[in-house]
Amino acid sequence: MKNKWFTKNKSFKKFALYLIPVLIGSLLSYAPKHVSKDAKTSFFFQMTDPQFGMFANDSNFVKETINFEEAIKAANRLHPAFVVVCGDLVNQLSSRDQISEYKRIAGQLDPSIPLYNVAGNHDVGRTKPTPEGLANYRKYFGPEYYTFRSGNILGIVLNSSLFFDPSLVTKEAAKQDAWLRSTLKKAAKIKKLNIVVFQHIPWFQNQPDEKDGYFNIPLVRRKTYLDLFHQYGVKYIFAGHLHKNAIGWDRGLEMVTTGPVGKPLGKDSSGFRIVKVEENELTHKYFSLDSLPKIIKLDNASF
């Protein structure tokens, strides 16, 4: 049955014809900004080392608060598919104040944007992971190794400290090893999937055979796992820890180390990396906090 009032009331019809496009436009303006026209391209933020307390040697975390709030505001404005923070969330494992401040600011992220935490060495035992450190991290931040899905990305989050020096937590290191091998084996069976690894300590900075040091995983374990990643088609690994940027390659695998949201230890200012994801390729660029883009144009070749 037709609504006679609607058909006769011309002024209402004109208003409805005006209102509908406005409502549609409003809805479109709130569509996720990380989805491109063809829905095959997206982007995410990789942050690392907010490390609350480092600037002032644990006497305060004023600067870290300013920086991390700026980074979270940028995420809320640009709306990435997800944000991953690659470790050293705090500087002092035992500081409840540092932990609370990190979580307070992280909680300001738009709830529609997933945030994935990664365990850093300062989060689980500083020089080497300890049972107490692992228990503390799990209590306040959750599991230290796990997977997540975002579009055609399978994110594998690892506790790199268990590779760096597992001497005090050998059973935990063995559990992560078994889990990783099983996860990679299953993931390799899924077609058109980008397997991307996120960790804190990089396997290497520039060269896969570089000498052991505080800023890379020892060679005795490094080669074994690089071979494993190659076996299952991993092409991208993102890390932090250096407090500066570094890029290295191993037989087509890109090792990307990103500068800090917190205190820099190199020429790069505090900032984070924006990573564009296409069907089978990731491209990325580091931005300092004072040079963040106003908009991400996914359909263009560059940011």
Side-chain angles (χ1 to χ4, degrees):
M1 180 177 178
K2 292 183 178 179
N3 189 319
K4 294 181 179 180
W5 184 89
F6 180 82
T7 57
K8 291 180 180 180
N9 194 316
K10 295 181 179 179
S11 62
F12 183 84
K13 287 172 69 178
K14 289 181 179 178
F15 176 72
L17 291 172
Y18 165 79
L19 183 62
I20 290 171
V22 172
L23 289 172
I24 292 173
S26 297
L27 289 171
L28 289 174
S29 69
Y30 284 97
K33 297 176 184 177
H34 58 269
V35 178
S36 65
K37 293 179 181 178
D38 60 8
K40 293 180 181 179
T41 306
S42 65
F43 70 96
F44 66 85
F45 286 3
Q46 185 225 355
M47 303 179 188
T48 186
D49 298 278
Q51 207 157 339
F52 281 78
M54 183 177 179
F55 270 106
N57 295 318
D58 296 318
S59 63
N60 66 65
F61 38 74
V62 174
K63 181 60 175 171
E64 288 87 355
T65 291
I66 293 170
N67 285 11
F68 197 39
E69 284 186 335
E70 185 67 24
I72 295 299
K73 286 178 182 177
N76 288 337
R77 176 171 57 84
L78 294 170
H79 213 286
F82 62 88
V83 174
V84 57
V85 186
C86 284
D88 279 2
L89 313 180
V90 299
N91 192 53
Q92 194 172 38
L93 175 64
S94 60
S95 174
R96 299 295 178 265
D97 289 340
Q98 292 176 9
I99 292 171
S100 295
E101 184 68 348
Y102 173 83
K103 295 181 74 173
R104 180 187 73 82
I105 299 171
Q108 296 173 4
L109 184 66
D110 185 329
S112 68
I113 305 171
L115 184 145
Y116 301 108
N117 291 318
V118 180
N121 59 300
H122 279 259
D123 304 317
V124 297
R126 190 162 293 197
T127 57
K128 61 179 68 176
T130 65
E132 296 78 15
L134 294 179
N136 191 66
Y137 184 87
R138 292 165 185 165
K139 178 180 178 180
Y140 291 102
F141 299 109
E144 75 272 18
Y145 54 91
Y146 57 93
T147 64
F148 65 87
R149 281 293 300 268
S150 179
N152 66 350
I153 282 184
L154 174 70
I156 298 181
V157 173
L158 297 175
N159 181 354
S160 57
S161 292
L162 294 177
F163 301 118
F164 182 79
D165 186 348
S167 58
L168 299 179
V169 285
T170 54
K171 290 184 179 179
E172 294 293 346
K175 287 180 182 179
Q176 179 176 243
D177 174 81
W179 173 87
L180 174 59
R181 293 173 185 275
S182 174
T183 299
L184 287 170
K185 187 175 181 179
K186 292 175 183 177
K189 296 177 181 179
I190 303 174
K191 295 181 179 180
K192 298 182 179 179
L193 187 68
N194 289 308
I195 305 171
V196 184
V197 173
F198 299 97
Q199 58 191 70
H200 179 63
I201 304 171
W203 295 98
F204 57 92
Q205 295 184 49
N206 304 112
Q207 302 294 332
D209 58 351
E210 65 194 22
K211 293 181 180 180
D212 293 354
Y214 177 75
F215 292 108
N216 58 24
I217 304 293
L219 272 166
V220 66
R221 287 177 288 278
R222 186 191 314 166
K223 186 180 185 305
T224 297
Y225 285 100
L226 289 177
D227 288 344
L228 183 68
F229 293 136
H230 282 291
Q231 179 183 347
Y232 290 107
V234 177
K235 295 194 297 182
Y236 303 97
I237 300 176
F238 291 88
H241 190 53
L242 306 186
H243 289 253
K244 62 181 180 179
N245 290 294
I247 303 291
W249 294 87
D250 177 41
R251 296 167 285 170
L253 185 155
E254 186 176 13
M255 179 71 251
V256 183
T257 306
T258 294
V261 172
K263 183 177 180 179
L265 294 178
K267 64 179 182 180
D268 302 301
S269 301
S270 302
F272 57 85
R273 190 173 301 277
I274 300 179
V275 184
K276 184 166 69 172
V277 183
E278 297 183 279
E279 288 192 47
N280 58 0
E281 182 181 14
L282 274 60
T283 56
H284 49 85
K285 184 177 179 180
Y286 183 81
F287 291 89
S288 62
L289 292 176
D290 58 4
S291 67
L292 295 172
K294 294 182 178 180
I295 190 171
I296 304 294
K297 295 181 179 180
L298 292 176
D299 295 329
N300 291 352
S302 63
F303 293 100

